[in-house]
């Protein structure tokens, strides 16, 4: 199936909403802990680069250009470490809200995990195997893990609607990942899949805005109470 230009352009909407959601979570993380905020910012940047490369690769094909392999098949090279870093940074933020100190060097665990999957990908590429599989696995685990953590965190704060938004995002992402296995889908099917992914990221953005706003307000209130306590 060949991409049409409108179809290729629409894919940018998904990238934009995803970037907004990750950006909102990064902003929250940065205000709570700058070191973790930098980690989340790098992760968000990587995820955005991957999404933009893929969308631009589709647009190039739709416009009659060449199939640029790095653009069309390099998505998970950036998305896998990106979601891993954002997810780990948010996990450390949850530790802070539980009055547990974040790790002294929070980079060790995510770098080790990314390194293991990267080595697996490199090893498969050396023998002509499906080198993207380990990266797809890491991206899926990190993405679903991030969203699942946000569901439990939101519901733990009795933010039922916000948690439901994250849960809907997970559901759509999982359903669309299964539909991606369809061979030679029609244009209508691809439109449905892309619009569904865009909807998922829109829900993710709304949920991230609600969650980030609430958690920042909670954090500021706790900080004010701490400062107001007598010495």
């Amino acid at each position: 199936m060949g991409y049409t230009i409108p179809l290729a352009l629409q894919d940018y909407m998904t990238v934009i909403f995803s970037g907004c959601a990750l950006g909102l979570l990064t902003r929250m993380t940065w205000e709570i802990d700058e070191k973790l905020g930098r980690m989340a910012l790098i992760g968000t940047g990587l995820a955005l680069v991957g999404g933009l490369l893929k969308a631009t690769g589709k647009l190039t094909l739709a416009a009659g250009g060449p199939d640029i392999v790095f653009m069309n098949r390099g998505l998970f090279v950036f998305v896998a470490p990106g979601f891993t870093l954002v997810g780990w940074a948010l996990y450390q933020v949850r530790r802070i809200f539980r009055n547990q100190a974040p790790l002294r060097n929070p980079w060790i665990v995510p770098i080790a995990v990314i390194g293991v999957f990267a080595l697996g990908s490199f090893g498969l590429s050396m023998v002509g195997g499906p080198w993207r599989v380990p990266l797809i696995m890491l991206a899926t685990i990190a993405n679903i893990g991030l969203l699942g953590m946000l569901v439990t965190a939101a519901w733990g704060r009795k933010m039922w609607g916000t948690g439901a938004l994250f849960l809907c995002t997970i559901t759509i992402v999982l359903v669309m990942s299964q539909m991606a296995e369809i061979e030679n889908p029609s244009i209508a099917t691809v439109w449905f899949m892309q619009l569904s992914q865009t909807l998922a990221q829109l829900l993710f953005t709304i949920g991230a805005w609600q969650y980030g706003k609430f958690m920042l307000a909670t954090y500021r209130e706790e900080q004010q109470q701490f400062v107001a306590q007598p010495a």
Side-chain angles (χ1 to χ4, degrees), residues 59-231:
L59 183 59
T60 302
L61 279 173
D67 180 3
I68 303 175
V69 176
F70 183 69
M71 283 187 170
N72 293 316
R73 295 173 179 80
L75 170 68
F76 295 102
V77 173
F78 295 95
V79 171
F83 276 117
T84 301
L85 291 175
V86 174
W88 186 253
L90 286 174
Y91 172 70
Q92 296 302 308
V93 167
R94 288 200 69 191
R95 286 176 57 89
I96 292 174
F97 277 103
R98 292 172 177 171
N99 295 319
Q100 298 172 325
L103 299 179
R104 180 174 298 179
N105 189 345
W107 287 91
I108 294 177
V109 172
I111 291 299
V113 171
I114 293 168
V116 168
F117 281 87
L119 283 174
S121 178
F122 177 75
L124 285 172
S125 70
M126 294 299 292
V127 297
W131 63 271
R132 290 192 300 166
V133 170
L135 299 179
I136 292 173
M137 289 176 58
L138 177 58
T140 303
I141 293 169
N143 189 15
I144 300 302
L146 166 63
L147 289 166
M149 180 172 59
L150 288 170
V151 171
T152 57
W155 284 349
R157 296 277 177 171
K158 301 188 185 304
M159 302 174 68
W160 309 116
T162 302
L165 290 172
F166 293 135
L167 184 59
C168 287
T169 302
I170 294 176
T171 303
I172 296 173
V173 168
L174 289 175
V175 171
M176 290 305 105
S177 67
Q178 294 301 309
M179 289 191 67
E181 301 297 324
I182 298 175
E183 294 185 7
N184 300 318
S186 65
I187 288 289
T189 300
V190 176
W191 267 110
F192 173 76
M193 292 167 62
Q194 281 198 185
L195 289 173
S196 296
Q197 291 283 16
T198 301
L199 173 62
Q201 297 309 311
L202 174 60
L203 296 177
F204 185 23
T205 299
I206 296 171
W209 175 72
Q210 293 178 349
Y211 180 76
K213 182 180 179 181
F214 179 87
M215 296 306 290
L216 279 178
T218 301
Y219 176 74
R220 290 164 183 160
E221 182 179 345
E222 290 178 353
Q223 290 297 106
Q224 289 175 356
Q225 291 176 353
F226 177 78
V227 172
Q229 288 178 353

Side-chain angles (χ1 to χ4, degrees), residues 10-25:
Q10 193 282 326
D11 202 32
Y12 282 99
M13 293 179 63
T14 302
V15 179
I16 291 170
F17 283 133
S18 177
C20 287
L22 294 175
L24 288 166
L25 294 173

